[in-house]
Amino acid sequence: MKGFYTRMGDGKRVIMTKEQIINDIHAGIADAADMAGVPDLKADEVDLLFEIISDKNRIVGVEPGKEVVLTYDIGQLDFTGDNGNSGNGIDVGRRESALLHERALGGDTFELAHADYSIKPVKPIISNEMQAMEEIQSEIIIPFFYGAMPNSGLYYAPDGPYGNPADLMREFKIEEAMQAAEFTAEHLARDIEYVSTRMVAAGADGFNFDTTASAGDADFVGTLKGVEMLRKACPKTYIMVGMAGESVMGIHGSIEYKGEVVAGKYPHQQVKLAEKAGANVFGPVVNTNTSKSLAWNMSRSVTFVKECIRVAKIPCHVNMGMGVGGIPMWETAPNDAVTRCNKAMVEIAKVDGV
Amino acid sequence: MAVPHFMASGMGGIRSAGDLVARMQFSKNMKIDKAKEYVAKKLGLSTLEIADEHIMRELREELKIGVITGVPNAPRGIAAKMNIERLIDTKINSCELFREVTKR
Amino acid sequence: MVDNKKELREAVIAYKVPGIQAAVEKARKAGMPAGDIIDAMGDGMTEVGILFERGKLFLPHVLSAAQGMKSAMEVLGPELLKSGDASTKRASVVMGTVEGDVHDIGKSICSTMLQCAGFDVHDLGRDVPKASFINEIKAGCTMCGMSALMTTTMTVQRDVIEILKQEGLRKKVIVMVGGAPVTQAYADKIGADIFGETASETTTKAKAINK
């Protein structure tokens, strides 16, 4: 065989020559460096990426002593959810799921979540969530968070009180759209404070903000303000801010956090804002391009994340799931690809956790 | 997705000392090397050894900080976490609340 | 004329309405045909889409550029009709996030980009019933764009294509699919015509197929 078995970004198996893999590694690095203005990877790191991709073993791993922390998001939904969130469709209880992640799945942390996994719908069921937290905290040992998505999309029409910026902008009501985004950011921050402080009062070790900025720059600002409020109310609580994408979408375009426009920020810039807000751990995200190879996606992701880790004062746990962190966009992501991306992130980007 | 990550680079949670390292990252903003060094020092081990299941299995039981297997009378939950608080010199929210409600 | 083309393209990329209007006026005075002016602005809009996706420009900038183009079209449209040139709109496109799926943003950005590129966009929003896509196609839309953000809902894209076949409409419409879990392989499998990894890629492909 003149080549190496590897993958495409959609998970399909392909055979590529050494030259093709090396070319894709360089192209992936160049794309990240160009987009985010971050340094290229060094020659020895390119060699290591090739070594990892071309490894003949199906599963690869880090050297003993280089292990990192493994945090889980989405809570029990990875068991209970449908395939919409890559769940197994097993209606297991939240307590059982938490203890299984602690005792059988090697989790260094875990979290409680509710089925919708957005912050806004937690408000009417906050007492249920507090009871579940209290109950599970009495049995679990690993740090146990409450996790939810800020998901400010739920504050726009038709789900919420504010006009939908995308619709308003198509009618060229640009000012109105920007104002709606600003109102939403404030509303989201208030809801974050309401939900998160109550969950901490119920015994949560902390709060995990998952897929932050999924609805763009105002979503990011609202979350950062909410994080700030939580930090002020609960100085010792653990706060994790995980992102939705590699770049903050500029739906508003000029909304600021502490004097800085947040739109267009990349992981190495996002982490500085999370630090300012009071997060303890940041979760960078890099999106996978399904039409490009694993080599391209993996090297691109590592390039973005390496710079994020270099500038961060707080630990960073990179998001590595379906379609992020170089991992193919496929529900049952192939183990060979997952473990390769994992090793590259730990050994080249030097992440503090996954 | 959980298992391949656990196998490739995970510390292993309470199989080893992953939960303790995570607590130092979150409570003191320690990066991975510093957090591992801190925990290793508290346990009197090297950073390699704190992720070694063979060493940590017995040590966790001795220290009463929780093990993955169902050992009768081995502390779980709040009891194990109270021992962790003393071991790594940190405060844990659920333990603080427990003390508050039981006036201990 | 080459300079005018460059100026028009750059004015759109700079996304200021007065700047776009001035560049159009200058090109008209230099005798540039309305169709060529529109094409040069369209090239600028394509670049604006790429800059948006690379985080260098933001949605209000995209819309400001589109607003500039729209105001230019108020002058250029009648000129085009007078000269007997083709319609200023490329094609009518029905857009929507498929039923059961409430993720709106990616589809909305794609609708905006298509609108900016001169398509007549009928955006039905999110959680759109299959029949609504079919009705729009029966009413004259020649392109259909369907977004799905979940593996549970992407199958609806296939269902709509099957209905189009059953109703004898499939050959009359160009079907575009996109959304996070959708891939080229999936698009091929369900028989879609265009797969877009991003909003600008979808728009570029839609423009190419409409030339």
Side-chain angles (χ1 to χ4, degrees):
Chain A
M1 182 191 74
K2 281 189 180 174
F4 302 89
Y5 276 122
T6 181
R7 300 276 173 184
M8 291 302 291
D10 65 359
K12 196 167 72 182
R13 183 167 250 185
V14 287
I15 295 174
M16 289 172 74
T17 63
K18 179 176 180 179
E19 196 187 2
Q20 287 171 326
I21 292 173
I22 297 274
N23 284 344
D24 274 10
I25 290 173
H26 283 297
I29 294 169
D31 193 64
D34 174 49
M35 281 182 87
V38 297
D40 287 348
L41 297 183
K42 295 178 191 145
D44 60 332
E45 292 166 333
V46 171
D47 291 345
L48 182 52
L49 276 170
F50 175 73
E51 200 181 295
I52 293 169
I53 290 168
S54 61
D55 195 304
K56 294 223 178 299
N57 292 294
R58 196 169 74 92
I59 304 294
V60 300
V62 303
E63 290 172 24
K66 287 188 177 170
E67 298 88 352
V68 296
V69 168
L70 176 61
T71 44
Y72 284 103
D73 56 22
I74 209 170
Q76 73 291 338
L77 292 168
D78 59 358
F79 281 154
T80 60
D82 60 24
N83 63 332
N85 43 35
S86 303
N88 304 121
I90 305 168
D91 196 17
V92 62
R94 298 201 279 185
R95 173 185 159 277
E96 290 78 6
S97 177
L99 295 176
L100 279 168
H101 279 84
E102 170 179 276
R103 286 159 184 268
L105 293 172
D108 293 318
T109 76
F110 196 59
E111 69 181 30
L112 182 71
H114 75 112
D116 181 87
Y117 201 45
S118 299
I119 283 173
K120 188 181 162 190
V122 181
K123 288 192 298 177
I125 56 163
I126 190 75
S127 299
N128 289 358
E129 300 306 276
M130 290 172 75
Q131 287 174 66
M133 176 59 72
E134 283 171 3
E135 187 184 335
I136 299 170
Q137 281 290 354
S138 69
E139 278 196 78
I140 200 161
I141 298 167
I142 58 174
F144 189 59
F145 291 74
Y146 192 79
M149 304 184 292
N151 192 10
S152 69
L154 292 183
Y155 297 84
Y156 296 125
D159 294 311
Y162 309 111
N164 193 311
D167 293 341
L168 291 167
M169 285 207 193
R170 272 203 307 282
E171 294 164 22
F172 300 111
K173 294 176 182 168
I174 297 175
E175 293 294 322
E176 216 175 300
M178 290 165 86
Q179 203 177 37
E182 287 159 21
F183 287 147
T184 291
E186 297 303 322
H187 201 149
L188 171 63
R190 289 197 302 274
D191 283 359
I192 285 173
E193 185 188 32
Y194 181 91
V195 171
S196 63
T197 54
R198 280 162 179 76
M199 293 315 300
V200 174
D205 284 291
F207 206 96
N208 173 30
F209 296 91
D210 195 4
T211 66
T212 298
S214 63
D217 45 359
D219 188 302
F220 194 27
V221 170
T223 306
L224 293 170
K225 286 185 174 176
V227 166
E228 214 179 301
M229 290 155 104
L230 171 60
R231 174 57 70 217
K232 196 174 168 198
C234 310
K236 289 181 186 166
T237 198
Y238 303 171
I239 301 179
M240 175 142 181
V241 174
M243 298 302 291
E246 65 206 22
S247 168
V248 178
M249 266 192 307
I251 301 293
H252 180 287
S254 51
I255 192 167
E256 295 178 353
Y257 178 69
K258 291 195 187 288
E260 269 189 80
V261 171
V262 305
K265 295 270 187 222
Y266 284 95
H268 67 290
Q269 299 158 323
Q270 296 161 5
V271 68
K272 303 313 287 180
L273 298 174
E275 281 172 3
K276 279 185 191 170
N280 300 110
V281 172
F282 177 71
V285 166
V286 180
N287 309 95
T288 294
N289 184 320
T290 61
S291 309
K292 302 281 189 183
S293 68
L294 175 69
W296 189 91
N297 281 301
M298 201 165 112
S299 54
R300 183 173 178 274
S301 298
V302 168
T303 308
F304 275 119
V305 174
K306 187 189 165 201
E307 182 64 3
C308 174
I309 306 298
R310 193 188 69 77
V311 303
K313 288 202 174 83
I314 56 174
C316 295
H317 293 186
V318 62
N319 277 269
M320 299 200 72
M322 172 184 170
V324 290
I327 293 174
M329 173 60 82
W330 190 247
E331 220 171 59
T332 45
N335 285 340
D336 50 286
V338 175
T339 57
R340 276 161 178 74
C341 291
N342 184 305
K343 183 177 167 72
M345 281 294 179
V346 175
E347 295 191 347
I348 301 172
K350 313 281 186 199
V351 296
D352 303 285
V354 171
Chain B
M1 202 74 78
V3 175
H5 284 311
F6 165 35
M7 302 300 280
S9 71
M11 288 206 66
I14 63 171
R15 288 169 67 89
S16 65
D19 58 326
L20 310 181
V21 174
R23 285 202 184 275
M24 297 327 295
Q25 288 197 333
F26 281 101
S27 63
K28 299 275 194 287
N29 293 1
M30 287 180 182
K31 291 214 171 194
I32 187 70
D33 290 347
K34 211 170 169 192
K36 284 164 90 171
E37 278 165 22
Y38 180 93
V39 170
K41 199 172 165 193
K42 292 285 182 189
L43 293 172
L45 298 172
S46 71
T47 52
L48 183 75
E49 288 169 327
I50 60 168
D52 184 329
E53 296 91 335
H54 183 260
I55 293 168
M56 287 306 302
R57 169 63 184 83
E58 288 189 356
L59 186 58
R60 284 195 80 109
E61 193 171 341
E62 275 170 32
L63 294 169
K64 300 185 187 303
I65 57 172
V67 290
I68 62 158
T69 45
V71 179
N73 300 321
R76 289 176 158 214
I78 303 280
K81 284 187 279 193
M82 282 184 160
N83 293 333
I84 288 171
E85 280 186 314
R86 280 189 291 275
L87 179 69
I88 58 170
D89 191 22
T90 193
K91 292 288 178 208
I92 295 174
N93 189 29
S94 54
C95 300
E96 299 264 60
L97 292 174
F98 183 80
R99 280 188 287 269
E100 201 180 306
V101 295
T102 55
K103 305 285 181 212
R104 279 164 192 260
Chain C
M1 215 60 90
V2 175
D3 281 350
N4 285 125
K5 270 191 181 177
K6 194 169 167 245
E7 269 180 43
L8 284 161
R9 184 176 173 278
E10 283 171 1
V12 172
I13 295 169
Y15 65 78
K16 303 285 184 206
V17 177
I20 296 167
Q21 287 167 333
V24 169
E25 206 41 46
K26 196 175 165 192
R28 286 178 67 224
K29 280 185 182 155
M32 193 172 179
D36 291 355
I37 295 175
I38 294 165
D39 283 348
M41 288 196 297
D43 289 347
M45 270 322 292
T46 303
E47 186 62 24
V48 166
I50 292 165
L51 289 170
F52 171 75
E53 276 172 3
R54 294 185 84 81
K56 311 295 180 200
L57 286 183
F58 310 128
L59 202 56
H61 306 145
V62 177
L63 268 300
S64 180
Q67 199 170 11
M69 273 191 74
K70 191 184 171 217
S71 77
M73 289 305 294
E74 282 163 15
V75 181
L76 298 170
E79 280 184 19
L80 264 187
L81 290 176
K82 242 189 271 171
S83 65
D85 211 337
S87 162
T88 55
K89 288 286 178 196
R90 284 181 192 270
S92 291
V93 191
V94 53
M95 292 286 290
T97 303
V98 297
E99 69 184 21
D101 199 325
V102 295
H103 295 89
D104 202 29
I105 292 171
K107 178 271 306 163
S108 292
I109 291 169
C110 196
S111 288
T112 305
M113 298 279 183
L114 287 165
Q115 182 182 312
C116 294
F119 289 90
D120 173 28
V121 177
H122 299 218
D123 189 330
L124 304 183
R126 61 199 204 149
D127 195 10
V128 175
K130 296 169 203 170
S132 300
F133 285 106
I134 305 297
N135 291 341
E136 287 289 327
I137 291 160
K138 283 180 178 167
C141 284
T142 54
M143 297 184 80
C144 170
M146 292 181 280
S147 175
L149 263 288
M150 300 192 296
T151 46
T152 38
T153 55
M154 61 199 270
T155 52
V156 179
Q157 297 173 333
R158 181 195 58 207
D159 296 345
V160 172
I161 291 173
E162 290 306 313
I163 297 170
L164 286 171
K165 283 181 194 166
Q166 285 160 19
E167 302 222 0
L169 295 165
R170 181 65 189 90
K171 286 182 183 162
K172 293 178 187 165
V173 63
I174 293 160
V175 177
M176 307 185 285
V177 292
V182 180
T183 63
Q184 182 65 59
Y186 182 72
D188 293 342
K189 189 175 158 189
I190 64 172
D193 302 301
I194 292 176
F195 160 67
E197 184 96 34
T198 61
S200 67
E201 186 183 305
T202 307
T203 307
T204 303
K205 287 181 176 176
K207 278 162 68 180
I209 217 164
N210 259 278
K211 269 194 173 164

